[in-house]
Amino acid sequence: MSERRVDHEVVLRYWGMLEDIAGKDAETVTIPTHWRVRDLLDWVGNRYPSLSDTLYRVAIDGDFASEDDALDGVREVALMPPFSGG
Amino acid sequence: MMNDLMRYRRQMLLPEIGWEGQQRLMQGHVLIVGLGGLGCPVAQYLAAAGVGTLRLVDGDEVQEENLHRQILFGDADVGKSKVEVARERLCRLNPHITIEVVDAYFDETNFEALARDVDVVVDCTDRFDARLLIDHACRLYDLPHVYGALYRWQGQCSVFGLRGGARYVDVFGTQVCSAEVPTCAETGILGPLAGLVASVQAGEVLRLLATGNSPLAGVLWIYDLWRHRPSQIRYNHRPITGNVPPVEKSIQIEGKRVKQLTGQSLKEVLSDGRVLLLDVRQPDELPRVERSGVMAISLGELPHKHHFIPEDKKIVPFCRKGLRAQWAAQWLVEAGYEVLGYFALESENVWFDEASMD
């Protein structure tokens, strides 16, 4: 029996200076359902190479995530850098 | 005493504060690090609410281009010490509280004395290295760290380390300094955004003192004032992933590239007799490197002790991982010294190989 692969949509949200690099504050992308956080990070790094020079954390649906977390059923992925201004 | 309490009556009407909560506010001792766009309103609200003792730390002077968001200061204050002006204003605002001021930056030389006897630390700085040091101090003395930070139209707030909860470096890692982002001076900042984030910080400080709890413990609160988009991200468990930039092998200072030296290039550099290796680690970090041509001045001590460096020397600062050496290089170049490069003890085993050094 072959594994059934379905794609689904997630909203990627770029906070802080990541918005300046991506040129947008959010976008909807279609990803394979079996993807984990690390797969999406690779994809983002390829799409916006300058993001690789930036420190940020990943959150899925309101929780900071680890790289093994599954994206199945996830609606929003936020990329969150620390801010420095005061 | 009754007269003192009259001014707090409207906040004491809140059942969550009440008479007992007000007593706790009046016994509270709060350290505010940084008196900028965040620190000014935080200090004003805490003073007005009757927090017993405020310790204000900032080594800067009032500058005209910051008046739009540092609303404790006015035109006539430009050029004066921020903490001294703040003391005068806050004493007038509420003469029943104690204001302690420290006209210095929060750094490796003073953080222990400044943090050890307070109840809460409010992080209102605009630098990653100071935020890391606040994290360190709060860990050392088991204090809650009320974090606030700004980027253009967006702000972040959180309460780190409450009763053993996750801390700043647990969320963002220790390498935030290598991800130096543009400052308010470069990107622009709107006063009311600073006021908004400062209000959230001040609210959490009052709640922590009065009740011991905060809903922002374990939660990063974020607000985008341009789009009016709020967000909250929980962080209390699991290792947090993301992207960490590669450790830079060179940095840009005043338009010039300053390189991280490898063992081989260090050897070449050392053949020049005018080179001084500057150990910017803390005095208790091992192994100590004692040979001719090496001088030890920790990063925090540089502004006070740099005059010990002979003027004709070309300097190569070093530390364990290279980060403090980068900051030292930056400081030295800006102070007019010639910096040939910097060095990380960990990066090259060759350092301990005497043959390669001679």
Side-chain angles (χ1 to χ4, degrees):
Chain A
M1 225 168 65
S2 67
E3 189 185 348
R4 190 168 153 255
R5 295 204 164 170
V6 192
D7 291 349
H8 81 291
E9 286 187 341
V10 296
V11 175
L12 263 176
R13 221 172 263 297
Y14 303 99
W15 285 90
M17 69 180 304
L18 306 187
E19 176 181 345
D20 305 338
I21 295 169
K24 60 193 77 165
D25 69 306
E27 62 185 319
T28 301
V29 298
T30 302
I31 61 167
T33 291
H34 68 275
W35 269 19
R36 293 181 184 275
V37 166
R38 80 162 70 76
D39 302 310
L40 188 64
L41 278 185
D42 289 344
W43 182 87
V44 167
N46 283 324
R47 186 166 164 88
Y48 306 105
S50 295
L51 281 185
S52 304
D53 293 329
T54 312
L55 185 138
Y56 59 85
R57 295 300 190 209
V58 180
I60 52 178
D61 287 339
D63 280 293
F64 278 111
S66 58
E67 58 181 20
D68 283 332
D69 283 342
L71 292 176
D72 188 10
V74 167
R75 291 184 192 163
E76 181 177 299
V77 176
L79 306 187
M80 182 64 65
F83 299 165
S84 75
Chain B
M1 190 60 184
M2 283 313 287
N3 276 343
D4 281 2
L5 285 175
M6 277 297 281
R7 63 177 293 144
Y8 308 123
R9 199 162 65 171
R10 294 286 162 86
Q11 70 190 30
M12 287 166 64
L13 282 172
L14 294 167
E16 296 84 356
I17 304 285
W19 188 85
E20 286 186 3
Q22 186 61 44
Q23 298 303 308
R24 285 193 282 270
L25 295 186
M26 290 160 68
Q27 287 157 13
H29 194 169
V30 175
L31 169 63
I32 302 175
V33 182
L35 270 188
L38 294 172
C40 283
V42 164
Q44 284 167 290
Y45 274 122
L46 297 187
V51 171
T53 307
L54 298 180
R55 179 175 291 160
L56 316 175
V57 181
D58 196 316
D60 210 355
E61 295 170 350
V62 177
Q63 293 174 26
E64 188 180 17
E65 64 265 31
N66 292 330
L67 291 177
H68 76 289
R69 70 180 190 286
Q70 298 178 2
I71 53 174
L72 206 44
F73 313 128
D75 271 44
D77 303 319
V78 171
K80 294 182 188 166
S81 151
K82 283 161 88 173
V83 290
E84 290 300 340
V85 177
R87 168 162 40 201
E88 186 232 314
R89 297 288 139 77
L90 295 170
C91 283
R92 211 162 49 189
L93 174 64
N94 188 347
H96 308 289
I97 63 168
T98 303
I99 310 284
E100 305 169 340
V101 301
V102 180
D103 192 355
Y105 292 106
F106 188 78
D107 64 23
E108 293 181 27
T109 65
N110 61 20
F111 76 94
E112 289 171 323
L114 294 176
R116 81 160 54 98
D117 56 346
V118 301
D119 301 310
V120 180
V121 182
V122 198
D123 177 355
C124 301
T125 67
D126 56 1
R127 294 168 49 144
F128 282 128
D129 53 349
R131 295 188 190 283
L132 286 180
L133 200 54
I134 291 170
D135 175 278
H136 179 66
C138 289
R139 194 180 298 264
L140 196 60
Y141 298 112
D142 192 22
L143 301 171
H145 169 181
V146 181
Y147 161 83
L150 312 171
Y151 182 78
R152 289 198 172 147
W153 293 88
Q154 299 175 358
Q156 297 173 330
C157 183
S158 192
V159 175
F160 294 114
L162 185 63
R163 283 190 286 279
R167 295 194 173 273
Y168 179 74
V169 298
D170 299 324
V171 175
F172 289 118
T174 55
Q175 284 165 294
V176 287
C177 289
S178 64
E180 202 60 65
V181 302
T183 63
C184 294
E186 293 150 5
T187 62
I189 192 80
L190 198 70
L193 173 74
L196 172 69
V197 176
S199 294
V200 176
Q201 286 181 286
E204 292 318 299
V205 173
L206 295 178
R207 192 198 312 242
L208 279 169
L209 291 174
T211 73
N213 282 313
S214 166
L216 291 191
V219 173
L220 182 71
W221 173 95
I222 313 115
Y223 197 83
D224 181 336
L225 190 65
W226 183 250
R227 301 180 179 90
H228 281 294
R229 179 186 298 133
S231 187
Q232 293 196 8
I233 305 178
R234 290 171 294 270
Y235 58 75
N236 252 340
H237 42 285
R238 64 168 96 209
I240 297 170
T241 195
N243 184 67
V244 178
V247 175
E248 279 205 283
K249 297 302 179 192
S250 69
I251 51 171
Q252 192 93 9
I253 306 175
E254 293 187 348
K256 280 175 60 187
R257 279 242 158 262
V258 176
K259 283 185 187 165
Q260 179 166 345
L261 302 176
T262 62
Q264 184 58 33
S265 53
L266 185 70
K267 193 173 151 190
E268 285 162 18
V269 158
L270 283 176
S271 62
D272 181 339
R274 287 192 300 145
V275 168
L276 176 77
L277 297 182
L278 187 65
D279 186 349
V280 297
R281 295 174 301 160
Q282 291 287 93
D284 57 353
E285 286 181 68
L286 298 174
R288 299 313 297 170
V289 181
E290 280 163 10
R291 65 192 305 279
S292 64
V294 176
M295 179 183 273
I297 304 177
S298 71
L299 181 64
E301 291 277 272
L302 257 188
H304 317 296
K305 294 193 175 166
H306 67 95
H307 53 270
F308 288 115
I309 301 171
E311 279 179 12
D312 60 335
K313 292 291 187 185
K314 302 171 183 173
I315 309 169
V316 177
F318 70 89
C319 63
R320 191 160 70 93
K321 290 180 180 291
L323 192 57
R324 286 172 292 174
Q326 284 183 19
W327 299 340
Q330 175 111 28
W331 192 90
L332 289 162
V333 168
E334 285 169 2
Y337 288 95
E338 186 179 354
V339 175
L340 284 182
Y342 61 94
F343 190 73
L345 282 174
E346 267 189 3
S347 70
E348 305 279 340
N349 294 326
V350 69
W351 173 261
F352 299 105
D353 177 359
E354 279 298 318
S356 69
M357 293 289 294
D358 295 327

